[in-house]
Amino acid sequence: MSALHLNQANLAQLPANVTAPAYARDTLVPSIVHIGVGGFYRAHQAVYLDDLLALPGHAQWGYCGVGLLPSDAAMRDAMQSQDGLYTVVERSAAGDVARVIGCVGEYLYAPDDPAAVLEKLAAPSTRIVSLTITEGGYYVNQGTGEFDAAHPDIVYELAHPQAPRCSFGYLLAALSLRRQRGLAPFTILSCDNLQHNGDVTRTMLLAFAALRDADLAQWLATHCSFPNSMVDRITPATTDEHRALVRNSFGIIDAWPVVCEPFRQWVIEDAFPHGRPAWELVGAQMTHDVLPYEKMKLRLLNASHQALCYIGMLLGYTYAHEAMDDAGIRALVRRMMDDEVTPLLDTVAGVDLEQYKATLIERFSNPAVRDQLARIGTEGSARIPKFVLPSVREALAQGRAIKLLGFTVACWFRYLEGHDEQGNALPLNDPYAERLRALALQGGADATALLSLHELFGELGESPVFVAAVTQALASLYGQGARAALEHIVL
């Protein structure tokens, strides 16, 4: 078939096997500004709103996407050239299902026009600002749990309050404008994988505000809402293979499609003083207590992702389903969930934990998704402390085993050395990359240097039980190799 360039003019000509927006896109009000338009946001939050807009009476809600980083220039080019449209392909053993998402009516790239971004955030029509800025984007000192005022981004922002560059800088500058203009603050909705993500956002942003303007910090503390939320959908990074799939199977030339699994989940604390979309009409769960859901998801899904990705890369695998086809890795994931994490979890209303874990194994093993281990292993300095170490702390406090959790940390340490078992280079995408690799090379089989990173491990770096678990596992990985170490740990 001849392929069509994806844009508004060509929507009516899309093939019959592609679902296109049936609502009038030009009537949407961009009342939600989303910072961090990446694959996950486009496969998750935007899909929920697209579903809602297919129902009558919801045109008061639309998205304006914002990119802040130089690396967002490619997304700017894709979104602007395609009138904000893009393709989502859900992949499963049953086949590929494609749809075009139309709820992003505008895309702003801050390096091109910072003032335009600030004015959009400060506009009276902006009622919600949502975030997918990665786990490392909240400036948390992982060792203390406090705001990292020494981070280079924050040092810059404090010195240049009128010329923001990072998400927190733009948020605070825009909120200051709203206060000056007599406008209420927008609701700030974190959609990143952090436990208590709304509470974390509130604590860190207010700490930042207090360093800039005590009165602004007090105004935000009194008037700004930060709902907690839990998000879930496995979404691999877009590749040229995905672009070819969209072109060859669905007749669409899309500069930046997104592929994902069929499963999705969104649990949201219902705390939106200035209104919100009726997400509950399209499958989201509105609640007054997100904690049990997010704890379950972060400790089981996200921690298990960390468990399988580093050992998987060390053994030469590229994709999650390949790693899960390895009997040793599959046993590691299942036993860590069953033996070391599940005993720490609270009862979650309406959720059968055994069925949930079985579903996770099935999702990780989905060969159609082709989720990259390198993607899962991105920013380990933020993900290990948030997904794995909370279970370590609770288990130690209760006198429970941490052998497999410790092995997961050791696999990350071994991965930081930079090569797999065959000597192939491993990618390291982490804000602490240079420091982590230097310490990994310095320490080798000795975990002491990396465990001394107080901003990541805090008091755990001095816990005899934890240090012993990681040290023994790391020595085994270096001394016996990843395969033998894995087989030993799951015996």
Side-chain angles (χ1 to χ4, degrees):
M1 69 175 72
S2 64
L4 291 169
H5 285 276
L6 183 59
N7 55 44
Q8 184 66 34
N10 286 336
L11 269 186
Q13 303 176 58
L14 291 180
N17 63 342
V18 179
T19 302
Y23 49 86
R25 297 184 69 226
D26 57 355
T27 67
L28 301 182
V29 178
S31 47
I32 309 175
V33 176
H34 184 84
I35 298 176
V37 178
F40 181 75
Y41 155 74
R42 295 187 304 137
H44 189 273
Q45 298 104 70
V47 171
Y48 278 92
L49 188 59
D50 198 69
D51 283 346
L52 184 63
L53 293 174
L55 306 178
H58 301 280
Q60 71 271 32
W61 300 107
Y63 274 115
C64 171
V66 170
L68 301 181
L69 305 175
S71 58
D72 292 326
M75 184 64 74
R76 170 204 61 194
D77 295 343
M79 295 295 283
Q80 292 182 355
S81 68
Q82 296 176 179
D83 302 319
L85 298 167
Y86 63 92
T87 314
V88 170
V89 180
E90 295 181 2
R91 309 204 72 184
S92 70
D96 296 335
V97 178
R99 62 187 288 185
V100 170
I101 303 299
C103 61
V104 184
E106 187 176 6
Y107 185 92
L108 301 177
Y109 179 60
D112 282 347
D113 193 346
V117 173
L118 282 175
E119 284 302 320
K120 177 62 69 173
L121 290 166
S125 59
T126 297
R127 297 156 72 180
I128 299 171
V129 174
S130 53
L131 309 170
T132 47
I133 54 177
T134 78
E135 296 83 2
Y138 293 82
Y139 305 107
V140 182
N141 181 310
Q142 301 300 333
T144 65
E146 297 176 354
F147 181 64
D148 184 5
H151 192 285
D153 288 355
I154 301 304
V155 172
Y156 168 86
E157 296 291 346
L158 291 173
H160 305 86
Q162 304 308 316
R165 291 197 307 212
C166 75
S167 55
F168 273 28
Y170 272 96
L171 288 173
L172 215 55
L175 288 163
S176 181
L177 282 175
R178 294 178 76 96
R179 179 168 172 258
Q180 293 169 21
R181 297 171 181 178
L183 298 173
F186 40 68
T187 298
I188 300 177
L189 176 64
S190 170
C191 298
D192 281 299
N193 283 314
L194 305 167
Q195 190 165 321
H196 306 291
N197 55 8
D199 296 339
V200 169
T201 308
R202 183 182 195 276
T203 299
M204 299 304 133
L205 190 65
L206 292 184
F208 176 41
L211 295 175
R212 269 191 48 180
D213 182 336
D215 291 339
L216 176 62
Q218 183 56 53
W219 180 74
L220 292 175
T222 303
H223 299 291
C224 195
S225 181
F226 300 82
N228 293 296
S229 70
M230 185 273 271
V231 295
D232 190 6
R233 189 170 217 182
I234 294 174
T235 308
T238 299
T239 66
D240 286 340
E241 178 185 346
H242 299 144
R243 294 180 179 91
L245 166 72
V246 170
R247 179 174 185 141
N248 296 333
S249 297
F250 300 103
I252 298 174
I253 299 172
D254 187 338
W256 210 316
V258 59
V259 302
C260 57
E261 64 173 338
F263 179 93
R264 58 178 156 130
Q265 185 178 20
W266 198 5
V267 183
I268 313 167
E269 183 181 3
D270 202 352
F272 294 82
H274 311 298
R276 62 166 177 81
W279 287 304
E280 68 274 18
L281 297 181
V282 289
Q285 181 176 352
M286 307 305 298
T287 181
H288 294 293
D289 186 12
V290 175
L291 177 59
Y293 299 92
E294 63 186 8
K295 183 177 179 181
M296 172 190 72
K297 187 256 181 174
L298 297 177
R299 303 285 187 93
L300 290 174
L301 187 153
N302 294 108
S304 295
H305 258 165
Q306 298 300 286
L308 71 89
C309 77
Y310 298 116
I311 187 64
M313 283 189 280
L314 291 175
L315 291 173
Y317 298 123
T318 301
Y319 298 105
H321 71 274
E322 294 174 337
M324 291 301 290
D325 283 343
D326 186 300
I329 296 178
R330 196 179 187 92
L332 168 68
V333 170
R334 186 71 210 213
R335 286 188 50 195
M336 192 177 89
M337 288 197 293
D338 289 345
D339 299 346
E340 297 186 4
V341 177
T342 299
L344 307 172
L345 298 177
D346 305 315
T347 300
V348 183
V351 176
D352 180 329
L353 275 182
E354 293 306 309
Q355 180 59 42
Y356 180 76
K357 288 184 288 187
T359 300
L360 289 182
I361 296 294
E362 180 181 348
R363 292 169 62 195
F364 295 160
S365 305
N366 182 347
V369 173
R370 297 175 67 79
D371 196 11
Q372 305 98 336
L373 296 178
R375 181 200 72 84
I376 300 170
T378 295
E379 293 193 6
S381 65
R383 296 183 177 189
I384 290 287
K386 291 179 174 68
F387 305 152
V388 178
L389 299 189
S391 290
V392 171
R393 289 188 171 91
E394 284 191 34
L396 290 175
Q398 298 178 24
R400 296 183 179 275
I402 60 163
K403 180 177 71 169
L404 304 176
L405 291 162
F407 181 76
T408 296
V409 175
C411 287
W412 179 50
F413 284 3
R414 170 63 184 82
Y415 154 85
L416 292 174
E417 184 273 338
H419 296 87
D420 66 16
E421 291 283 274
Q422 292 74 41
N424 300 308
L426 294 171
L428 179 54
N429 184 352
D430 195 290
Y432 288 86
E434 291 185 12
R435 189 177 179 194
L436 290 169
R437 179 145 292 168
L439 289 173
L441 292 171
Q442 170 192 325
D446 183 353
T448 306
L450 284 162
L451 288 172
S452 69
L453 285 170
H454 191 267
E455 60 267 45
L456 301 186
F457 293 100
E459 80 293 348
L460 283 177
E462 300 173 1
S463 163
V465 177
F466 177 65
V467 170
V470 176
T471 298
Q472 291 168 15
L474 186 60
S476 179
L477 286 163
Y478 272 100
Q480 303 177 46
R483 172 60 62 191
L486 173 63
E487 291 176 354
H488 174 76
I489 207 76
V490 297
L491 287 178

